[in-house]
Amino acid sequence: MAVVGAGFGGIGMGVALRRAGVERFAIFEEADDLGGVWRDNTYPNCNCDVPAHLYSFSFAPYRNRRIRYPGQPEILNYLRRVVLEQRLAPHLRLGTAIRDATYLENQGRWELMTQSGQAVLADAVVFAVGQLHRPNIPDVPGRAEFTGAAFHTARWDHTQHLSGRDVAVIGTGSSAAEILPSLAATAHHVRVFQRTPHWVLPKPATEFGPTMRTALRLPGAQRLYRHALYCGGDLVLAPIMRRGWSARPAEWAARRYLRRHIPDPALRAKLTPDYPIGGKRIILNNDYYPTLTQPNVELITAPITRLTREGLDTADGAHHHADVLIFATGFRASEFLAPIIVRGRDGQMLHERWRSGASAFHGLAVPGFPNAYLLAGPNTFNPAGSNPTMKEHQIDYIIQCLRWRDEIGATAIEVDNEAMQTHQRWMHKAIAETVWPEAGPSWYKHPSGAVTNPWPATGRRFDQRLRHPPAESFHAVPARVDTQSEHTCS
Ligand code: NAP
C-alpha cells in the first residue's frame, strides 16, 4: 500500500491500515516533516476554527482539556503524538515527493515515481494530499519589480521583522483575519486589500471555564461532548449553507456583529457582503473587525492594478507604500492532486478527466482508476463540521474496499460508471439547494463555476451514504494479459 501525504488524512489512513493488520505500507510525504497544513501554516496566531474535541481523531482525544480551539503548535504536536503512539514512524518516507502515478494494467498495481526518479510498486494507492496546501499567488502585473519582502501566509518568512514597517496584505479570508491583529500591533502601517468582503461571526472563547473543565473530566464526557459538537454542526451550521430562510438567523447575527464593531457607516458598507452568508467560508474571529478600526490599519477596496518597486497601485490612481507584502490569497484548492500526474486504465489522465472540475464517487474513487483512492477528495470538505471526522468516514470506507477486494480474490477493484453517475446526479441536486452556485468565485469552486470542494449536506448524511458496502458500487478489474512487454521497475 502507498499513502501519499502525511497530514491528518495520511496519518489516519496509516492508523487504520495497521489496525486492519496491514503492515506493508509506506506514507510518502514531500516535506521533511509530517503535519500537512498544520506544518505549513506557521503565521502568527494560526488557529483552528473547529473545536479540538471534534477536530481530532475519534480514537485520540487531545490531552489538554482546557483548550477549546487548538492553535497550530497544539495541532502539530497532537499529530506527532498520534504518529508516535500508533507506531507509524517506520512507515513514513519524509522528503519523498510523488510526482507521477501510473496504473499497470498487466499487474493490477500502481507504479509511483518519486521526484528523484525512484519507482515504487503498490497494490493500491491512497492520495491524501488535502485541498488547502498549494498557495495561490496571483499574477499581479509588476510582481518582479517589487523590491520588498513578499511571501504567502502558508510560507511565512520568520526572518522578516515587521516592527515599524509598512505592510500590505492582499486578501481578507480566514488567514488574513488571523494575522491582522498581530501585524497591527507591530507594524507601522497595515494596508489590507480587499476584493470581496467575507461574512464574519464571533468565535467562542478559546479556553473552557472551570465548570466545563470539571465536567469534561467525568467518565464518557469527552465522547459525549464530541458527539454534541458533531450534532450541533449538523443542526445549526449545515442549514446556513442551504438556500432560503434557514440562513437568516446567521445572517442577522453577522450583520448585528458588524454594526456593533464597525461604527463608521462607510467602512461598514465596504465590509458588508452582497452574497448570502455561507457562500464562502464564514470567518470566525473576534479580533478582525476591531483591528480594522485601529488608526494604523487601512482597508482598501479599489482593485490592485500593479505592483511597483515600493508598493501597490490601485485602480483609483492611488499608490500605497509597502516594505513587506503578504499574500493572504488562499490556495489552489480546486486543482486536486496537482502536480501529481495520475494515469489510469487505458491511458486515462485524471487531470484531463477533471478539466472542468473534479468529481469522485463519495469523493474517494474515480471510474477508470482501479485500486486508487482519495482522502479529502472532491466535495468532501465539510464547512459545517470537522474534516478529520469526514476523513475517518472515508478511511473506514477505503478499508472496506480493500477487504472486499481480498474477499472476492480480485487483483483490482474499480467503482462502476453507473454508481458514479448516480452519485453525481445526487451531488448536483444537493449543490443546487445550497448558496454556493449563486455566490461568487471562492476556493469552493473550480474556475468553470463548478462547486468542487465543499460537501453539500450534513456530516451525518455523509456517514450514511458511506455505509453502503463497496460491493454495491464497485466491480473487479482483472489484470490485462500483456504479451508485448513485461513492465519492470526497481
Ligand atoms: P481564502 O479564504 O481563499 O481567502 C483568500 C483571499 O484572497 C480572499 O479574500 C480573496 O478574495 C483574496 N484574493 C485571492 N486572489 C486575489 C487577487 N488576485 N486579488 C485580490 N485578492 C485576492 O484563503 P485563506 O484565508 O487562506 O483561507 C482558506 C481556508 O483555509 C479557509 O476558508 C479555511 O477553511 C481554512 N483556514 C482556516 C483557519 C482557521 O481554522 N482558523 C485559518 C485559516 C485558513 P475573493 O474573496 O474576492 O476571492
Side-chain angles (χ1 to χ4, degrees):
M1 282 286 304
V3 179
V4 184
F8 255 104
I11 292 170
M13 191 71 230
V15 173
L17 285 172
R18 289 208 64 225
R19 289 182 172 188
V22 179
E23 284 297 340
R24 293 191 58 195
F25 69 92
I27 304 175
F28 297 94
E29 169 56 55
E30 175 170 19
D32 291 329
D33 196 4
L34 56 88
V37 295
W38 299 107
R39 172 204 59 229
D40 291 344
N41 287 273
T42 60
Y43 59 77
N45 199 29
C46 178
N47 273 284
C48 186
D49 57 9
V50 180
H53 287 75
L54 196 57
Y55 198 85
S56 47
F57 294 117
S58 54
F59 56 84
Y62 279 78
R63 283 207 183 123
N64 187 341
R65 292 172 192 181
R66 271 185 314 173
I67 295 175
R68 182 189 270 162
Y69 290 100
Q72 177 265 340
E74 276 115 25
I75 302 174
L76 191 55
N77 281 339
Y78 168 84
L79 289 173
R80 287 193 212 291
R81 175 166 71 81
V82 171
V83 164
L84 207 68
E85 288 177 355
Q86 301 288 332
R87 301 200 199 107
L88 286 184
H91 298 276
L92 288 176
R93 305 284 179 274
L94 300 177
T96 311
I98 300 296
R99 285 286 171 249
D100 190 294
T102 303
Y103 181 65
L104 306 177
E105 296 193 44
N106 58 349
Q107 300 184 25
R109 294 198 280 180
W110 282 85
E111 183 187 65
L112 309 182
M113 198 59 77
T114 69
Q115 194 168 26
S116 60
Q118 192 198 356
V120 178
L121 278 182
D123 286 347
V125 58
V126 179
F127 295 102
V129 299
Q131 297 189 3
L132 297 166
H133 61 294
R134 297 180 68 223
N136 166 46
I137 302 194
D139 201 9
V140 188
R143 222 180 101 197
E145 287 169 32
F146 182 66
T147 51
F151 51 89
H152 188 271
T153 46
R155 301 286 182 272
W156 197 263
D157 183 349
H158 291 275
T159 64
Q160 294 299 324
H161 298 290
L162 305 175
S163 170
R165 302 176 82 185
D166 286 352
V167 179
V169 178
I170 305 181
T172 51
S174 307
S175 302
E178 286 192 331
I179 59 172
L180 277 177
S182 89
L183 292 181
T186 44
H188 171 250
H189 202 108
V190 183
R191 295 183 173 89
V192 188
F193 293 83
Q194 173 188 277
R195 192 165 63 177
T196 318
H198 282 238
W199 286 102
V200 181
L201 282 169
K203 187 175 174 180
T206 300
E207 300 229 340
F208 289 114
T211 316
M212 192 65 183
R213 266 187 262 164
T214 312
L216 283 173
R217 281 203 195 96
L218 297 171
Q222 297 250 1
R223 204 159 273 279
L224 195 67
Y225 182 56
R226 180 181 169 95
H227 187 65
L229 289 170
Y230 184 89
C231 297
D234 278 1
L235 287 171
V236 180
L237 300 178
I240 298 177
M241 318 299 157
R242 291 176 75 85
R243 272 190 294 127
W245 62 269
S246 62
R248 296 231 177 98
E251 193 166 316
W252 176 81
R255 283 185 195 279
R256 188 164 175 270
Y257 182 66
L258 175 64
R259 272 199 307 277
R260 238 179 68 207
H261 289 277
I262 308 288
D264 172 8
L267 181 58
R268 202 160 61 223
K270 287 181 181 179
L271 289 168
T272 306
D274 64 358
Y275 58 89
I277 192 165
K280 294 174 193 254
R281 180 97 161 127
I282 299 167
I283 297 175
L284 292 186
N285 195 302
N286 300 335
D287 303 319
Y288 178 54
Y289 282 159
T291 302
L292 290 174
T293 63
Q294 291 187 21
N296 66 335
V297 179
E298 190 183 352
L299 183 76
I300 295 154
T301 52
I304 300 164
T305 47
R306 67 176 294 114
L307 292 182
T308 65
R309 277 176 63 78
E310 295 183 340
L312 301 89
D313 286 344
T314 43
D316 56 359
H319 178 72
H320 309 273
H321 180 259
D323 300 308
V324 177
L325 172 58
I326 298 171
F327 289 101
T329 41
F331 301 87
R332 303 168 75 130
S334 66
E335 297 173 12
F336 292 88
L337 298 194
I340 306 172
I341 295 164
V342 184
R343 288 180 202 85
R345 221 167 22 77
D346 303 321
Q348 297 179 66
M349 306 293 279
L350 195 53
H351 67 270
E352 279 174 13
R353 160 91 59 118
W354 285 350
R355 187 169 290 159
S356 319
S359 58
F361 178 72
H362 294 330
L364 54 74
V366 182
F369 296 81
N371 286 354
Y373 304 96
L374 290 124
L375 284 173
N379 296 110
T380 60
F381 176 87
N382 185 357
S386 149
N387 286 293
T389 310
M390 294 291 277
K391 283 172 191 161
E392 277 193 76
H393 293 320
Q394 296 162 58
I395 288 166
D396 286 350
Y397 191 86
I398 294 170
I399 294 288
Q400 282 185 54
C401 288
L402 298 174
R403 284 210 178 108
W404 184 66
R405 185 192 62 175
D406 290 350
E407 270 166 34
I408 61 170
T411 313
I413 59 166
E414 177 185 317
V415 65
D416 307 338
N417 265 318
E418 204 180 293
M420 177 70 196
Q421 280 164 17
T422 308
H423 170 82
Q424 274 309 91
R425 275 196 297 276
W426 179 87
M427 184 60 72
H428 288 316
K429 196 165 162 286
I431 287 172
E433 288 168 10
T434 68
V435 291
W436 303 319
E438 62 182 294
S442 74
W443 70 263
Y444 285 180
K445 289 181 175 180
H446 185 269
S448 67
V451 177
T452 48
N453 293 60
W455 168 247
T458 60
R460 192 171 140 74
R461 190 89 180 90
F462 189 69
D463 181 20
Q464 282 170 342
R465 286 182 67 81
L466 266 64
R467 284 195 189 167
H468 293 269
E472 287 181 13
S473 314
F474 283 70
H475 61 273
V477 180
R480 196 155 77 185
V481 180
D482 182 0
T483 48
Q484 293 286 302
S485 65
E486 190 58 31
H487 197 103
T488 55
C489 58
S490 56

